[in-house]
Amino acid sequence: MGLVGLAFLGVVVGAAGSEFLRLKRPDIIEKVEDAAKRFADSVCPSKSDDEKIKEK
């Protein structure tokens, strides 16, 4: 039960921190979001990316 509480607290603190940064330093949030998108694309490419690879 304590682990669930700590996980929920981490989500709340992370959301509040990202909103604070979005207000004060939107450039940092933009960089983090771009890095997350590149990472997600490298781990699991979308189907359209798979079709592009097969065409080549």
Side-chain angles (χ1 to χ4, degrees):
M1 186 68 177
L3 185 60
V4 173
L6 284 175
F8 182 71
L9 180 64
V11 168
V12 170
V13 170
S18 68
E19 290 302 316
F20 177 77
L21 279 178
R22 192 176 301 275
L23 290 173
K24 298 293 182 184
R25 299 284 309 269
D27 56 321
I28 291 176
I29 295 295
E30 218 173 281
K31 289 179 185 177
V32 170
E33 287 175 347
D34 288 340
K37 286 177 187 175
R38 285 193 310 269
F39 176 75
D41 287 343
S42 70
V43 172
C44 53
S46 64
K47 290 184 179 182
S48 62
D49 290 342
D50 291 337
E51 291 171 3
K52 289 177 186 176
I53 292 171
K54 289 179 183 178
E55 289 177 0
K56 291 182 180 181

